[in-house]
Amino acid sequence: MMNIHQRASARRNALLMTAATVLLLIWVFPLLWATVVSLKSESEVLAYPPNLIFKPVFQNYQDAIFGDFSILDSLLTSVIVATTTTLLTIVLAVPAAYAFARLKLPARRTLGFYTLATQMVPPVGLVIPYFLILNKLQWLDTYQGMIVVYLTFSLPFAIWLLVSYMEDIPFEMEEAALLDKASRLQTMWYVIIPQVRGGIAVTVIFVFLNAWNEFLFAVQLGGNTVRPVTVAMYNFVSVEQTLWAKLAAAALVAMLPVVIIGIAAQKQIVKGLTVGAVKGGGRR
Amino acid sequence: MHQSERRFAMAITMPALLVLLLTTTFPLGYLIWSSFQTLNLAMPFLDGFAGFSNYVEMWGDSRYWHAMQLTGIYTVSSVTLQVVIGLGLALLVMQIPRAQWVFRIVAILPIVLAPVVVGLFWRTLMLAPNFGMVDFLVQWLGFEQINWLGEPIPALISVIAIHTWQWTPFAFLVFLASLASLPGDVFEAARIDKANAFQRFWHLTLPLIRPAIIIVIIMRAMISLAAFAAIFAATGGGPGTATEILNLYAFKTSFVELNFGYGSALAVSLLIITMAVSAMLFRLRTARTVKPQ
């Protein structure tokens, strides 16, 4: 009796594992295959059907980083834009989220709704006026222009994510601090912010990822000076139709930071996704 | 005391609100204003107030209605697929006793990739004729070669598949977390009452994770409506206008044809649709769930 049961459940487990593995493969495959292709020489790449046995070369990576198609400048641009956006967003969002979550903010509901609504604006509805506005200010293809535009999606998102973390802190801590005659600013700085360090970290990760991966604003409002990696990738394909091994190498280098962050901060990201999902808000 | 708290709250919220007002509300106002203008960078001598003429033109524009239809198909099908596959996979993985972390790691990968890179990867490595892996697989299985991005219907299927590929892991992770937080004793009781697997799913799991499903639908619908980079990179809206959702139409009208007035009107209509859909979905959310607090 026991044996039949065990065998049935073993078979069921095997079936489950197979089904799950197939689905897993579907998700890793494009990345895996990009890695394989990036290690092929130009002649090897176009072999069809694709061959799996070949001598890996690192020429494509060398070209992608140092060669004619160097993406180093773009990487630097992305670092500058994403980092500055993240810093500004956090500095603005943390106090606002604190007020939304814990203080008697006048017109809190209205202002909260307003913040949520700004988060839902479709980016194409912003890129059109921004092109005209930045053109007038002569801010097209400048860092300040790009960063201002990036605040439009990072700031509302960050406020909402942080609010849901701030709401979870017990009120007693704040009250104790205030009774001890700490000023409100001190309370925020010494009591609240240490409590939501985790939430701030999650917010930093999300804002940075979104800024790093942004394309629509970058392609239209950037240019030769401000050309983030996402745009560099796109230009690569439209100019060099068939240099696919180099594209794969360049794209993998460009995505390396976010993949590393993704794997290293996997727990925090899932938490951020679900916090957003449970309390509403969150945007990619 | 209260007075000072209010003042302090206002003071620390002000900077963020002012920035939002300046960076989102002002450009939106500008967008609405320009949707009532003739604003064509190719023919600046015609510029001026246009009244509702952009909107009248839109009403009679078959390319606009086509884009609307595509936006609907794209959003509804990709969100449905994400929820169904994501939930199915989450239920499956819940059954697997070990190595759940492998699934979590793998699921993170598509989510953190830039949509534009995802579009490019699919366009080249997966779908390109006589190069891509999907193309190879189709032929290896003995089917006729399909020009995935070169024919209207396959191209539409492809861009929906690409979006679904990238974002199903999001639904999967949220459902996995919400399934893991369900109370085990209820299910134990149901098992003792001899409820079968399907009954347990239909009468217990589904109602319990309903809030999570609705939130996933809301968030994914918003993203679908805002989708741009992956389609732009994979097909550019083509062939012809076969994958030209409203986003791409508004973008191309403004930045390729330089007709910013009409492009603005198209974007305003997308804005209205997005607001309407989110209002509808949020109502759905509050209608049947008891709000905490």
Side-chain angles (χ1 to χ4, degrees):
Chain A
M1 220 21 210
M2 225 20 218
N3 254 342
I4 294 170
H5 257 298
Q6 273 174 348
R7 217 176 299 160
S9 92
R11 203 179 311 146
R12 184 169 154 272
N13 272 348
L15 211 70
L16 280 174
M17 280 312 262
T18 318
T21 313
V22 168
L23 284 160
L24 264 185
L25 272 179
I26 291 176
W27 273 317
V28 272
F29 186 79
L31 267 184
L32 274 183
W33 190 235
T35 314
V36 171
V37 168
S38 73
L39 295 170
K40 292 185 173 185
S41 63
E42 280 305 332
S43 58
E44 203 94 48
V45 155
L46 293 171
Y48 192 81
N51 45 358
L52 280 172
I53 296 156
F54 59 91
K55 193 165 160 280
V57 292
F58 292 91
Q59 186 64 38
N60 297 317
Y61 285 94
Q62 206 178 328
D63 288 352
I65 298 171
F66 304 108
D68 293 344
F69 307 102
S70 171
I71 58 164
L72 270 186
D73 287 351
S74 292
L75 278 171
L76 185 64
T77 300
S78 282
V79 169
I80 295 171
V81 172
T83 311
T84 319
T85 304
T86 310
L87 274 175
L88 275 175
T89 303
I90 295 298
V91 168
L92 290 165
V94 169
Y98 173 49
F100 271 120
R102 337 242 343 152
L103 301 177
K104 291 190 176 57
L105 180 69
R108 195 174 77 156
R109 279 185 65 90
T110 318
L111 293 176
F113 181 77
Y114 170 72
T115 313
L116 188 65
T118 56
Q119 195 187 334
M120 301 204 164
V121 177
V124 85
L126 287 173
V127 74
I128 295 172
Y130 262 115
F131 182 82
L132 300 168
I133 294 167
L134 296 184
N135 190 23
K136 267 184 196 152
L137 295 173
Q138 303 210 321
W139 273 21
L140 284 173
D141 196 17
T142 61
Y143 281 99
Q144 65 270 32
M146 198 63 82
I147 289 159
V148 162
V149 177
Y150 277 18
L151 287 176
T152 61
F153 60 86
S154 65
L155 189 52
F157 169 78
I159 294 175
W160 273 89
L161 195 56
L162 284 167
V163 163
S164 48
Y165 282 99
M166 302 250 185
E167 278 171 346
D168 293 341
I169 311 168
F171 267 100
E172 294 81 44
M173 302 206 54
E174 244 169 314
E175 278 159 15
L178 284 173
L179 283 180
D180 284 348
K181 293 258 159 55
S183 77
R184 294 193 181 279
L185 214 54
Q186 285 170 328
T187 310
M188 182 171 86
W189 190 254
Y190 293 109
V191 181
I192 299 296
I193 289 181
Q195 289 284 314
V196 289
R197 255 181 313 194
I200 293 176
V202 173
T203 312
V204 165
I205 290 166
F206 271 89
V207 171
F208 186 87
L209 287 181
N210 285 343
W212 187 273
N213 286 339
E214 205 286 327
F215 174 72
L216 173 57
F217 295 134
V219 74
Q220 207 54 57
L221 308 175
N224 289 329
T225 318
V226 183
R227 182 188 290 140
V229 277
T230 46
V231 181
M233 293 299 100
Y234 178 77
N235 290 346
F236 202 97
V237 169
S238 39
V239 178
E240 297 293 342
Q241 287 287 348
T242 52
L243 295 181
W244 289 340
K246 287 198 190 3
L247 166 74
L252 288 173
V253 173
M255 289 294 105
L256 196 64
V258 289
V259 168
I260 290 174
I261 293 173
I263 291 174
Q266 169 255 349
K267 281 214 176 77
Q268 284 82 350
I269 292 178
V270 174
K271 200 155 173 241
L273 292 178
T274 42
V275 164
V278 172
K279 306 218 173 172
R283 158 144 201 205
R284 293 237 34 199
Chain B
M1 185 74 176
H2 278 183
Q3 187 63 29
S4 80
E5 179 173 329
R6 284 160 155 271
R7 220 175 296 145
F8 176 71
M10 261 333 243
I12 60 173
T13 322
M14 254 322 140
L17 284 177
L18 277 178
V19 169
L20 276 183
L21 204 66
L22 220 65
T23 60
T24 64
T25 310
F26 171 67
L28 271 190
Y30 200 90
L31 176 81
I32 292 166
W33 176 82
S34 56
S35 77
F36 290 106
Q37 304 284 320
T38 300
L39 194 59
N40 193 326
L41 296 195
M43 290 180 278
F45 44 89
L46 292 176
D47 289 0
F49 185 68
F52 281 92
S53 70
N54 285 324
Y55 291 95
V56 173
E57 186 184 340
M58 205 161 80
W59 187 258
D61 179 3
S62 63
R63 191 170 161 192
Y64 168 70
W65 293 109
H66 177 68
M68 282 277 271
Q69 201 185 340
L70 286 180
T71 305
I73 295 172
Y74 182 80
T75 305
V76 171
S77 57
S78 67
V79 172
T80 311
L81 284 169
Q82 288 170 63
V83 169
V84 171
I85 301 173
L87 185 54
L89 188 61
L91 290 166
L92 190 74
V93 170
M94 284 299 282
Q95 303 287 314
I96 295 172
R98 271 162 300 148
Q100 280 193 7
W101 63 272
V102 179
F103 289 86
R104 287 179 217 267
I105 295 271
V106 167
I108 281 294
L109 293 176
I111 293 178
V112 297
L113 291 183
V116 66
V117 168
V118 169
L120 291 174
F121 272 176
W122 278 82
R123 170 173 152 189
T124 56
L125 302 171
M126 306 300 283
L127 298 173
N130 298 327
F131 181 74
M133 238 0 194
V134 174
D135 183 70
F136 172 70
L137 237 113
V138 165
Q139 290 188 68
W140 185 72
L141 289 170
F143 294 103
E144 224 172 288
Q145 187 177 29
I146 301 171
N147 188 355
W148 285 104
L149 299 174
E151 297 287 333
I153 300 288
L156 185 58
I157 294 173
S158 298
V159 294
I160 292 170
I162 294 170
H163 191 89
T164 307
W165 177 84
Q166 182 168 24
W167 298 115
T168 298
F170 175 98
F172 162 70
L173 287 171
V174 173
F175 291 142
L176 197 62
S178 104
L179 284 174
S181 69
L182 294 184
D185 47 344
V186 184
F187 287 85
E188 210 36 61
R191 216 184 297 261
I192 290 166
D193 287 346
K194 297 237 160 51
N196 67 31
F198 179 76
Q199 287 170 327
R200 288 197 303 263
F201 170 71
W202 193 256
H203 294 292
L204 276 178
T205 313
L206 212 52
L208 283 171
I209 61 167
R210 191 174 179 278
I213 294 177
I214 291 178
I215 286 294
V216 168
I217 291 176
I218 295 177
M219 291 166 78
R220 296 336 297 167
M222 293 300 108
I223 299 306
S224 267
L225 284 169
F228 179 83
I231 302 185
F232 189 72
T235 68
T241 56
T243 53
E244 192 183 73
I245 58 170
L246 208 42
N247 273 317
L248 272 101
Y249 186 27
F251 179 87
K252 282 201 227 163
T253 305
S254 307
F255 296 110
V256 180
E257 291 160 27
L258 300 178
N259 191 347
F260 280 82
Y262 192 47
S264 300
L266 293 171
V268 169
S269 93
L270 180 71
L271 181 70
I272 293 170
I273 293 165
T274 309
M275 291 292 171
V277 170
S278 64
M280 213 174 68
L281 289 172
F282 269 107
R283 187 148 306 160
L284 186 76
R285 180 186 172 214
T286 43
R288 293 208 224 142
T289 49
V290 184
K291 245 195 146 180
Q293 283 163 20

